Amino acid sequence: MQTAPAPVIVAIDGPSGTGKSSTSKAVAAELGLSYLDTGAQYRAITWWMLSNGIDVEDPAAVAAAAGKPMIVSGTDPALPTISVDGEDASGPIRTQEVTAAVSAVSAVAEVRARITGLQRSIAAEAAEGGPSAEGKGRGIVVEGRDIGSTVLPDADLKIFLTASPEARAARRSGELRGKEGADLAATQAALLKRDTADSSRKTSPLKKADDAVEVDTTELTLEQVVECVVTLVKEKQLAE
Ligand SMILES: Nc1ncnc2c1ncn2[C@@H]1O[C@H](COP(=O)(O)OP(=O)(O)OP(=O)(O)O)[C@@H](O)[C@H]1O
Ligand SMILES: Nc1ccn([C@H]2C[C@H](O)[C@@H](COP(=O)(O)O)O2)c(=O)n1
């Protein structure tokens, strides 16, 4: 009789626009795993700060408010959700205003401690088949900037996605076409600025874990990246 593979925890990190969300969702859907977008959680707390008149450039004010909003993430890769104090935040967290403020908010140690705790409990539930685990105990794909290096250092598989700034800007501009922020040069400058802020902060910066597998997606289609990651997960499961 065939036994079900042991739950697997996959960490996918990398700079903006390298394909973390698209890849993670597709891998989780194909393997029947849960999916967690940790960037959405940092965006959600940033949106709450902006909506509640907190000065996001004042780390002490952000730190004092970090424990207040209740953030809930739905982990079904077919329909990931994010709410703040019971309100659907999936639209507002993608505005330019939130994108411009999220690096400052996510650099505050109290914010990171709060969100990291949330991420660890969601990952543990997904691996144990707890009540909120849509992946029914098979495991989870968690994507972000510091998942392999800090949040889940014991993840079964760590992937670090990269791509050239030009490829990343072209992907983002294609997404934003006709909307505010669609200019290619401006898009590239904005994402490099965010990468610099995210990799240079003191607490838990954007970083490749020593034991992560680096995948340069510049010349790869999304389907090729997904196939590569799915193969790596299956190899891990077979080796267990
Ligand atoms: N290998 C690829 N080839 C071409 N386009 C891609 C590839 N991977 C992702 N994309 C596209 O690039 C855009 C950005 O992808 P995605 O949102 O998954 O990146 P991300 O790393 O999660 O970004 P961020 O960190 O800013 O949230 C999307 O429009 C997506 O469809
Ligand atoms: N693990 C994470 C995930 C995200 N962030 C911060 C830094 C990003 O600029 C921002 C938004 O993430 P995105 O939606 O672009 O993936 O959130 C982080 O610090 N740590």
Side-chain angles (χ1 to χ4, degrees):
M1 203 175 68
Q2 246 190 351
T3 52
V8 66
I9 296 200
V10 182
I12 302 193
D13 293 298
S16 303
T18 50
K20 299 181 299 296
S21 300
S22 327
T23 303
S24 301
K25 263 188 273 190
V27 168
E30 189 167 334
L31 297 175
L33 307 177
S34 298
Y35 159 71
L36 179 62
D37 176 356
T38 63
Q41 296 176 315
Y42 285 104
R43 288 172 177 274
I45 198 163
T46 302
W47 174 58
W48 183 91
M49 298 276 169
L50 292 167
S51 308
N52 285 274
I54 311 290
D55 177 359
V56 294
E57 297 302 330
D58 176 354
V62 171
K68 293 185 180 170
M70 193 179 71
I71 295 166
V72 177
S73 298
T75 58
D76 178 351
L79 193 72
T81 57
I82 181 93
S83 70
V84 183
D85 294 338
E87 191 179 339
D88 176 15
S90 49
I93 64 167
R94 303 289 164 195
T95 60
Q96 291 290 319
E97 193 191 10
V98 170
T99 302
V102 65
S103 289
V105 172
S106 59
V108 175
E110 287 78 359
V111 168
R112 298 210 73 81
R114 172 98 200 281
I115 301 291
T116 297
L118 205 55
Q119 292 161 356
R120 287 182 177 147
S121 62
I122 292 170
E125 269 187 13
E128 286 162 12
S132 69
E134 286 91 347
K136 299 182 189 71
R138 290 186 195 165
I140 189 164
V141 182
V142 184
E143 56 117 337
R145 303 291 192 288
D146 61 339
I147 308 306
S149 59
T150 303
V151 179
L152 301 169
D154 297 327
D156 300 290
L157 177 66
K158 300 177 188 178
I159 306 285
F160 194 80
L161 296 184
T162 63
S164 71
E166 292 76 16
R168 296 191 281 134
R171 292 171 188 176
R172 277 269 173 262
S173 290
E175 234 175 31
L176 297 168
R177 195 164 293 129
K179 294 189 204 156
E180 187 194 355
D183 171 68
L184 191 61
T187 304
Q188 185 169 324
L191 59 84
L192 290 178
K193 186 176 169 205
R194 196 145 59 94
D195 287 350
T196 304
D198 295 340
S199 10
S200 61
R201 67 173 174 243
K202 264 211 323 244
T203 314
S204 200
L206 158 65
K207 193 173 148 212
K208 175 179 174 290
D210 293 339
D211 51 349
V213 179
E214 185 165 331
V215 180
D216 183 345
T217 72
T218 309
E219 303 291 339
L220 300 179
T221 63
L222 176 58
E223 291 69 27
Q224 288 172 321
V225 182
V226 172
E227 194 188 332
C228 166
V229 177
V230 165
T231 303
L232 289 168
V233 176
K234 286 183 175 167
E235 281 172 4
K236 268 280 163 198
Q237 287 177 317
L238 281 176
E240 294 293 297

